[in-house]
Amino acid sequence: MLKKLIVANWKMAPESLAQAEEILDAVNGHIVSEDRDGLLLVFCPPFVFIEEVAKMLSGGPLGRIAALGAQDIAVQDTGAFTGEISGTMLTKLGVRYVIVGHSERRWKLGESDKTVNDKLKAVLRNGLVPIVCLGERTRGGDWEGFLREQVVATFGDLSSGDVSRCIVAYEPVWAISTTPDAQPDTPKSALEAIGVIKDVLATNYKLQTICCLYGGSVASHNAAGFVGVHGIDGVLVGGASVRKEEFVKIISIAYHQK
Ligand code: PGA
């Protein structure tokens, strides 16, 4: 039985392939020393490292419990779109998961709900698993209304069957480590927001269950709180996933959750 899912979103890091290798070596060494069955790790490196990371993940103990993810996908599968990487290309490289709707792409790079929805369709069309990021920008005002609208706009006209193939990552923008004055979130408030997301999915798509991750400054000091509660199926880790000692600790904490 899958205990917990841990997604490593490396963002625009590390700076070199050698550093990427060091992170994966550290995790590999850790898995050798203890049995990690029941955990699934998804590594989402920058595109330039994907091919090499795929090779590194395929051997050794890591190969048993790790899968490859991408941080983005093109809306189109073919055509002239400078700079884009298609789902067809990702599939050929061994990618199985794709992050869509990350707040940095929404708010820093201007991706609209419509674009996120189109990318979500591209992921599904290519037989990959979407990790759909959702989250309000602040906890003030009508945050719940904002989140509900974002969920509706993100999943849009997808069928219930398609939505059931998605993993949801609740990532409040105000708690993400790179947000200026980021505030620490608590498992209680994360569960409240995840409840809102699940309510929309139950009402609009008749979904009774969906895999839900939490992301937002997850590190070794707070991981137990998030991976240890019923209703959160794992974590999406950004900054701490490229700090190898820190990431290994998070894996260990997740493994030891009952
Ligand atoms: P963080 O990033 O863990 O550095 O806050 C999470 C994310 O943005 O996916």
Side-chain angles (χ1 to χ4, degrees):
M1 199 185 96
L2 183 63
K3 280 187 179 173
K4 292 291 165 183
L5 170 58
I6 303 179
V7 180
N9 175 18
W10 285 0
K11 309 194 185 195
M12 204 166 71
E15 280 178 11
S16 68
L17 186 57
Q19 285 169 307
E21 202 161 356
E22 279 177 28
I23 298 166
L24 296 176
D25 278 351
V27 178
N28 226 342
H30 188 62
I31 295 164
V32 172
S33 58
E34 290 183 57
D35 181 11
R36 296 289 170 206
D37 287 347
L39 278 190
L40 173 61
L41 309 181
V42 176
F43 289 92
C44 304
F47 283 131
V48 285
F49 299 145
I50 277 198
E51 197 159 4
E52 287 304 317
V53 169
K55 287 181 204 155
M56 294 177 207
L57 293 185
S58 66
L62 208 44
R64 286 206 323 266
I65 64 161
L68 189 60
Q71 297 177 19
D72 192 19
I73 189 170
V75 168
Q76 303 82 0
D77 291 341
T78 54
F81 297 98
T82 302
E84 292 294 272
I85 313 283
S86 72
T88 323
M89 293 167 168
L90 296 178
T91 310
K92 284 188 183 142
L93 289 170
V95 166
R96 286 172 48 205
Y97 296 82
V98 184
I99 297 173
V100 287
H102 192 281
S103 60
E104 285 151 14
R105 298 207 63 85
R106 289 180 189 265
W107 309 119
K108 291 185 182 172
L109 299 167
E111 261 181 30
S112 65
D113 290 332
K114 164 85 172 75
T115 303
V116 174
N117 178 264
D118 285 341
K119 290 190 172 185
L120 189 41
K121 288 174 183 162
V123 178
L124 292 164
R125 192 169 62 235
N126 282 282
L128 301 166
V129 180
I131 300 171
V132 186
C133 298
L134 300 159
E136 74 282 1
R137 294 181 79 163
T138 66
R139 250 310 155 104
D142 184 17
W143 67 270
E144 185 179 326
F146 177 95
L147 188 56
R148 282 183 185 276
E149 274 177 30
Q150 191 188 53
V151 179
V152 170
T154 296
F155 290 101
D157 55 355
L158 256 57
S159 68
S160 299
D162 279 345
V163 179
S164 72
R165 290 168 54 201
C166 298
I167 293 169
V168 163
Y170 169 64
E171 296 212 309
V173 182
W174 50 270
I176 289 180
S177 67
T178 49
T179 300
D181 302 324
Q183 302 295 313
D185 198 359
T186 61
K188 185 169 173 281
S189 105
L191 280 172
E192 193 184 350
I194 286 173
V196 170
I197 295 170
K198 285 185 173 169
D199 184 54
V200 178
L201 297 181
T203 307
N204 291 13
Y205 300 96
K206 309 287 172 265
L207 277 192
Q208 295 317 318
T209 170
I210 190 153
C211 177
C212 269
L213 310 179
Y214 173 77
S217 298
V218 173
S220 62
H221 70 275
N222 63 3
F226 292 106
V227 291
V229 292
H230 181 72
I232 299 181
D233 303 298
V235 283
L236 198 167
V237 187
S241 71
V242 285
R243 298 197 295 273
K244 56 183 194 248
E245 291 86 6
E246 194 59 14
F247 192 56
V248 162
K249 279 189 205 161
I250 295 171
I251 294 170
S252 183
I253 289 164
Y255 179 71
H256 288 103
Q257 295 305 313
K258 292 287 174 256

